[in-house]
Amino acid sequence: PDIRLYDGFEPSGRMHIAQGVYKSINVNKCTAEGTNATFCFWVADWFALMNDKMGGDLDKIIVVGQYLIEVWKAAGMDLSHVEFRWASDEITGQAHVYWPLVLDVARRFNVTRIKKCCQIMGRLEGSLTAAQVLYPLMQCSDVFFLKADVCQLGVDQRKVNMLAREYCDASKKKFKPVILSHHMLYGLKKGQEKMSKSDPDSAIFMEDTKEDVERKISNAFCPTKEDAEREKLEQERESESESKSESESLTQLRDKEHDREDAGKESMHLTADDLKNPILDYIQHIIMSPTDATFTCA
């Protein structure tokens, strides 16, 4: 039987390589020959409106959605088994199917459970609007509205994906969607768990120039060996027991591990330049689009 995979995206500005290149690779893997899979992109224009993206201007949101599709084409996404469905068109055209489903999801969960999912929008619980509380209910409903077998979204969307599986239990649905989450691509600044569109220097964007890429990679956070060792020591101190005997055991264990280390390991440590220069070459290569592409990156 054919497999339907689903991912939704808010048209909310420029596309960085985590969304452009990484997603293209994942889609091409999921829809490769022999998989019998179709990948459905839910162009979440109404969701972007609820999340106040592009200043809440739906016309601008639609233009951005069209732009993102063109970037994926330029990035090499194989669209032969991909479909793009616009939330505003689909929900309006099948309102008699969609809204009863949303209401059924809503009546099976309390407000506290729904609020736990609101981090999918990058919002703190105390700052939520009523529309943003509605957002997880609709996103959960999308899985069943689109008849998705697999939810192929980032790990940051895991809570609402699990809500969809919980809904199956609550509504006695036999088949639960499979959650196939991908990890996030780290931001370029220290401590950033993912690239951010709101912080241009934390991400490499698909239309960045060669000079932009070089500057961002050169300035990207890259811990030195001393930084890494210092962090490791701090973690060890935090984990050590207050018991003297346990402390002595840990010290002896670390000494033994140190003795077993390869004598040549010291020379194998990468410096910032050793790491950044190949990354710079690789990124510049993959985001330079072919001349016949529908969207010219850089």
Side-chain angles (χ1 to χ4, degrees):
D2 292 341
I3 299 173
R4 287 185 60 80
L5 299 98
Y6 137 84
D7 188 7
F9 67 94
E10 288 184 8
S12 58
R14 302 167 68 193
M15 181 184 284
H16 51 59
I17 59 173
Q19 187 178 15
V21 177
Y22 196 14
K23 193 65 196 180
S24 296
I25 292 172
N26 285 343
V27 169
N28 289 349
K29 286 181 178 179
C30 291
T31 59
E33 186 176 355
T35 60
N36 296 323
T38 298
F39 205 105
C40 176
F41 275 108
W42 188 237
V43 189
D45 48 358
W46 273 8
F47 291 77
L49 180 63
M50 286 190 290
N51 209 6
D52 201 31
K53 297 299 177 66
M54 307 305 297
D57 188 325
L58 187 57
D59 291 334
K60 290 181 179 178
I61 290 170
I62 291 173
V63 170
V64 172
Q66 294 167 340
Y67 147 78
L68 296 180
I69 294 172
E70 294 301 314
V71 176
W72 273 319
K73 291 179 183 178
M77 183 183 289
D78 183 358
L79 302 182
S80 57
H81 297 286
V82 174
E83 60 184 48
F84 293 94
R85 298 175 66 176
W86 292 75
S88 55
D89 293 338
E90 297 291 334
I91 294 173
T92 302
Q94 300 186 65
H96 63 292
V97 176
Y98 188 82
W99 291 116
L101 180 57
V102 174
L103 292 175
D104 192 53
V105 172
R107 73 187 185 88
R108 296 182 188 275
F109 299 99
N110 59 40
V111 175
T112 301
R113 177 66 183 89
I114 297 304
K115 283 184 176 181
K116 289 181 180 178
C117 297
C118 288
Q119 70 176 42
I120 58 177
M121 300 174 289
R123 303 290 181 177
L124 297 175
E125 187 172 318
S127 62
L128 296 172
T129 65
Q132 289 163 349
V133 175
L134 182 62
Y135 192 117
L137 296 172
M138 293 175 64
Q139 185 172 336
C140 176
S141 303
D142 294 341
V143 176
F144 307 100
F145 180 71
L146 297 171
K147 296 179 171 59
D149 301 301
V150 180
C151 299
Q152 207 290 289
L153 296 89
V155 70
D156 59 332
Q157 305 292 307
R158 183 178 180 278
K159 286 189 177 181
V160 76
N161 288 336
M162 294 307 298
L163 184 72
R165 289 177 61 87
E166 291 174 23
Y167 172 69
C168 291
D169 292 331
S171 60
K172 303 295 189 293
K173 288 185 179 294
K174 184 176 180 181
F175 298 107
K176 296 181 180 180
V178 174
I179 311 303
L180 182 61
S181 301
H182 60 260
H183 287 288
M184 314 304 291
L185 197 60
Y186 287 110
L188 300 179
K189 295 184 177 180
K190 183 177 180 180
Q192 290 185 321
E193 295 183 353
K194 64 179 181 178
M195 292 188 174
S196 172
K197 295 178 183 179
S198 60
D199 185 355
D201 283 335
S202 77
I204 303 295
F205 292 97
M206 295 296 290
E207 73 277 10
D208 274 350
T209 64
K210 180 180 179 180
E211 292 74 21
D212 289 332
V213 176
E214 184 174 355
R215 173 179 55 81
K216 291 179 181 182
I217 293 297
S218 297
N219 294 332
F221 172 69
C222 183
T224 64
K225 182 180 179 182
E226 289 75 18
D227 291 334
E229 289 179 344
R230 190 180 303 112
E231 183 176 352
K232 181 180 179 181
L233 285 172
E234 290 175 355
Q235 291 175 347
E236 288 176 348
R237 290 193 189 102
E238 290 176 0
S239 64
E240 284 180 355
S241 169
E242 294 180 0
S243 168
K244 183 178 178 180
S245 59
E246 289 182 355
S247 296
E248 290 175 350
S249 298
L250 287 169
T251 301
Q252 292 172 359
L253 179 60
R254 285 197 295 272
D255 289 341
K256 289 180 181 179
E257 290 176 348
H258 180 74
D259 292 339
R260 288 196 298 265
E261 285 183 353
D262 182 0
K265 190 174 181 180
E266 184 76 20
S267 62
M268 294 169 61
H269 183 77
L270 291 172
T271 65
D273 287 342
D274 292 333
L275 186 61
K276 289 183 177 181
N277 290 338
I279 289 176
L280 179 59
D281 292 341
Y282 180 69
I283 292 177
Q284 287 180 345
H285 174 72
I286 62 176
I287 70 170
M288 299 298 122
S289 110
T291 55
D292 60 346
T294 57
F295 183 91
T296 302
C297 301

